[in-house]
Amino acid sequence: MLKIGRSEDTIIIGLLGGLIGTIAMDVSNLLIFKAGKTETLYGHIAGGLFVAPYRTKRRENFILGQLAHLGIGSLWGIPLVYTLKKTGNDHYLIKGAAISMLSLGTLIGGQKVGFLKKFRLTKTYYSAIWNHLLHGLVSSQAIVMLANPTMIKKTNARERDTSFSRVKDSNIHHSLDT
């Protein structure tokens, strides 16, 4: 796998990976919006945090919402990089997808409690699922590529089985000695 950088700063790697994932998410959202398969853009949704939803169509409010969306999406890279540091980089795409589903859950939760305008169309929810999955996949790939290899443990099933058997064997030998 290609390694772009050698940074060991967890927060910067998380923010940058999250930002890259958010940009991919926004490009996808724009293409889906232009195809008529979703009713809104994420700049409009996030703009609703600051102004009434009907005012997010104005250019300056959309830009404010888009900046907020880029910031929020970047922040979601931080729990992802900590998850990868703790659990290793095996199945990192699945871990990225899981974190992105948590972010989708916060979006839907924000709609349920009235912080954000609810989607009217089912196709918009399908689009949101796809876009959030894309965010998680791209963010996790970016984080693995940007991070110093020593920052995120490289693990696989064979290494876990070997380390588990070593612990098991040492416990057996210890119990036989006593």
Side-chain angles (χ1 to χ4, degrees), residues 99-111:
I99 295 291
S100 69
M101 288 300 99
L102 287 174
S103 72
L104 177 61
T106 61
L107 170 66
I108 293 171
Q111 291 176 335

Side-chain angles (χ1 to χ4, degrees), residues 36-105:
K37 302 296 182 187
T38 186
E39 65 192 275
T40 191
L41 296 170
Y42 288 112
H44 294 135
I45 297 168
L49 294 169
F50 304 106
V51 297
Y54 69 89
R55 299 184 86 199
T56 61
K57 300 290 185 200
R58 296 182 64 180
R59 183 178 186 90
E60 63 270 14
N61 295 335
F62 175 79
I63 291 171
L64 180 63
Q66 188 60 36
L67 290 172
H69 182 251
L70 289 169
I72 292 166
S74 295
L75 289 173
W76 276 103
I78 295 172
L80 177 55
V81 77
Y82 276 105
T83 300
L84 292 173
K85 279 181 75 169
K86 182 72 175 165
T87 64
N89 70 355
D90 59 329
H91 310 293
Y92 62 92
L93 293 174
I94 294 170
K95 294 169 187 175
I99 295 291
S100 69
M101 288 300 99
L102 287 174
S103 72
L104 177 61

Side-chain angles (χ1 to χ4, degrees), residues 115-176:
F115 290 138
L116 301 169
K117 181 182 173 190
K118 290 183 180 180
F119 301 146
R120 292 179 297 118
L121 304 173
T122 304
K123 66 182 179 179
T124 303
Y125 285 100
Y126 284 116
S127 171
I129 292 168
W130 162 251
N131 288 318
H132 279 79
L133 277 174
L134 182 64
H135 176 270
L137 297 173
V138 171
S139 294
S140 62
Q141 182 67 53
I143 287 168
V144 168
M145 291 174 68
L146 291 169
N148 187 320
T150 61
M151 183 176 145
I152 299 174
K153 300 177 291 192
K154 185 171 186 159
T155 59
N156 60 38
R158 181 174 295 170
E159 289 174 10
R160 279 192 308 273
D161 290 343
T162 305
S163 64
F164 176 72
S165 65
R166 276 190 231 133
V167 169
K168 189 173 149 185
D169 289 343
S170 69
N171 288 341
I172 290 172
H173 292 296
H174 180 68
S175 65
L176 292 175

